[in-house]
Amino acid sequence: MMKTPIEVLSPAGDADRLDAALMYGADAVYLAGTSFGMRTACKNFDGDALRAAVERAHAAGKRVYVTCNTLPRNDELEQLPSFLEQVDDSGADALIVADIGILPLVKRYAPHCHIHASTQLGVVNYATANMLHDMGVSRVVLARELSLEDVATLRAKTPKTLEIEAFVHGAMCMAISGRCMFSYYLAGRDAGRGDCSQPCRWGYEFIEPHRPDRVMSAEEHGKGTYLFNANDLNMLGYIPQLYEAGITSFKIEGRAKAPYYVAVVTNAYRQAVDGYYASVFDPNYQPPAWVLEEANKVSHRPYSTGFYFGQPTQNNAFGGYVRSYEVAAVVTGYEDGRLLLRQRNRFFAGDTLDALIPSQPPMLLTAEDLRDGEGNLIEATPHPDMELSIAFDRPLPVGSLLRKERTEDITTA
């Protein structure tokens, strides 16, 4: 019996992130135009850029899904048809829709696009999934509140023609599926419009009305407590369980994350999924240790498995990120026994670098015979974006990333 393939679905907040996703093994990307998308911090894609992005992805045999996941207000509805026509004209494969009321408009103005129901729509049961399928939705992006048992039940009670997508990695909102007004209330920035100020990541203390001069922490440490701060999601070690529950599109969160994050996490899930295929869908499959370790080489909060195995834990200790690696340089070519590089962060001659290479385990190498773009011997790379080279015995794919491990983890907000 033919098994349904797994889709590794990666975020693409701009052209650089798109390139990273495609290079490191995404089957599909999700991105936004310049309106009706929930990530204002990203550059996103205007009309020409959107068309170019779709052409680039399709040339690589990959798919593009465009978000239309804000809830349009009355004064925005008149602008929606032209946006939908633009997406349709770009050749995008699907629109990710959060408002059930605009489905007829999508069908009318973007007839060539499949319709995916956004996680913002809150699909938690098979009745809603079936109704959406009857209305022309080809895929549901499940709410993050579901356990794997819930997912399996939904899969068993919906048509096989309805695709199931779910988040498998990345930041978790305190409102889980993101339907939150906390930021709007405290900071005047509407998360539902893509402008969240992340107040769930802030530290909080208490003031008792009768003792206004006494600030009290909810826990016994000097920085207060992070009452609403969710751990990040990481399901790299549970590929068989996700698949057997019925999820066939593995979605990575992070349109606002750096291209490095997109590259590392996409590569890790690509290797994990391919390993699962190679195991002939072994229910006990585990990715190699190096694949699991890759998740720790990107900026992240402490990891959990979300709601997949029950109630998740919260991170009450701090609101920032753990950053243990940084990109030292990007490979731009190979010439006369030397790797040609472009600097991203300062490093020194003799440093050990960790090469992130598409479809391969990482490789350690030493920054030997470090030279600048003019061929002068140098001890360090102090200038941002400078051209340089190191001696090496073989070429690496252009675009490969050379990383440097920090001497200690740095926790930042």
Side-chain angles (χ1 to χ4, degrees):
M1 181 179 176
M2 181 71 70
K3 289 277 193 177
T4 303
I6 296 169
E7 175 184 82
V8 175
L9 177 56
S10 296
D14 62 15
D16 289 340
R17 292 163 176 83
L18 172 67
D19 288 344
L22 297 179
M23 180 174 180
Y24 283 92
D27 296 302
V29 297
Y30 64 103
L31 50 80
T34 52
S35 56
F36 300 105
M38 282 187 60
R39 288 294 183 274
T40 58
C42 307
K43 291 182 181 178
N44 296 316
F45 297 82
D46 61 21
D48 291 339
L50 177 59
R51 188 174 295 104
V54 173
E55 289 175 356
R56 175 155 171 67
H58 285 179
K62 314 299 184 180
R63 297 173 291 278
V64 176
Y65 310 143
V66 179
T67 61
C68 184
N69 58 350
T70 60
L71 303 180
R73 294 172 180 159
N74 291 324
D75 59 353
E76 295 173 313
L77 285 176
E78 291 183 359
Q79 304 157 24
L80 188 57
S82 62
F83 170 75
L84 296 174
E85 288 175 339
Q86 181 185 78
V87 173
D88 199 57
D89 290 343
S90 76
D93 298 276
L95 275 152
I96 305 171
V97 177
D99 187 339
I100 196 171
I102 70 170
L103 289 180
L105 293 176
V106 175
K107 293 178 182 178
R108 179 177 178 182
Y109 294 104
H112 301 101
C113 292
H114 291 284
I115 303 174
H116 296 175
S118 169
T119 189
Q120 289 286 109
L121 224 157
V123 177
V124 298
N125 60 61
Y126 58 83
T128 301
N130 282 325
M131 182 200 71
L132 290 168
H133 185 257
D134 291 343
M135 297 176 70
V137 169
S138 64
R139 176 184 296 190
V140 289
V141 186
L142 298 180
R144 303 192 202 193
E145 294 90 340
L146 297 184
S147 68
L148 285 178
E149 183 179 357
D150 294 329
V151 175
T153 299
L154 185 148
R155 174 72 285 175
K157 294 180 179 292
T158 52
K160 298 305 181 201
T161 50
L162 179 66
E163 299 172 350
I164 304 295
E165 176 184 314
F167 283 94
V168 298
H169 200 96
M172 294 278 283
C173 175
M174 59 86 81
I176 311 304
S177 287
R179 300 178 299 276
C180 180
M181 295 299 291
F182 197 23
S183 173
Y184 194 44
Y185 177 73
L186 290 181
R189 291 172 51 180
D190 191 346
R193 318 295 291 177
D195 200 27
C196 184
S197 61
Q198 294 193 320
C200 56
R201 310 300 191 191
W202 302 348
Y204 289 90
E205 296 175 320
F206 298 96
I207 297 176
E208 202 274 322
H210 297 290
R211 289 173 288 180
D213 58 339
R214 182 179 176 187
V215 178
M216 294 174 285
S217 173
E219 290 188 358
E220 293 182 2
H221 60 79
K223 295 183 179 179
T225 186
Y226 294 81
L227 294 173
F228 313 105
N229 188 24
N231 287 326
D232 282 3
L233 179 65
N234 178 1
M235 293 296 289
L236 261 176
Y238 303 93
I239 302 299
Q241 292 91 330
L242 292 165
Y243 185 74
E244 290 301 321
I247 301 167
T248 52
S249 179
F250 290 8
K251 188 169 194 172
I252 299 166
E253 182 274 339
R255 273 190 289 143
K257 300 285 182 66
Y260 170 68
Y261 168 94
V262 176
V264 173
V265 179
T266 298
N267 189 61
Y269 277 89
R270 175 79 276 149
Q271 302 314 307
V273 167
D274 288 352
Y276 182 46
Y277 290 157
S279 77
V280 196
F281 297 89
D282 179 359
N284 298 312
Y285 168 76
Q286 269 287 291
W290 74 263
V291 172
L292 298 175
E293 180 58 25
E294 284 296 292
N296 295 319
K297 295 182 179 180
V298 295
S299 175
H300 66 281
R301 296 181 175 90
Y303 284 123
S304 77
T305 55
F307 281 81
Y308 283 123
F309 299 105
Q311 188 76 15
T313 57
Q314 292 290 102
N315 169 26
N316 295 321
F318 69 97
Y321 293 88
V322 177
R323 292 182 169 95
S324 56
Y325 279 76
E326 63 186 10
V327 179
V330 179
V331 175
T332 59
Y334 187 79
E335 188 176 292
D336 299 329
R338 303 188 66 80
L339 273 181
L340 307 182
L341 309 171
R342 187 171 293 279
Q343 188 251 34
R344 286 292 178 265
N345 283 287
R346 191 181 189 194
F347 64 98
F348 296 85
D351 278 350
T352 298
L353 302 177
D354 181 344
L356 178 69
I357 307 166
S359 303
Q360 297 181 37
M363 173 193 302
L364 295 181
L365 56 92
T366 304
E368 294 181 342
D369 193 27
L370 183 62
R371 296 180 181 269
D372 64 20
E374 283 76 46
N376 301 309
L377 197 64
I378 55 175
E379 291 298 317
T381 63
H383 305 301
D385 214 33
M386 68 180 290
E387 294 181 355
L388 59 131
S389 67
I390 59 174
F392 198 58
D393 62 358
R394 79 204 79 163
L396 297 180
V398 172
S400 296
L401 303 175
L402 303 187
R403 304 174 285 193
K404 181 181 177 181
E405 186 174 10
R406 297 177 185 268
T407 54
E408 59 181 20
D409 284 357
I410 297 178
T411 301
T412 60

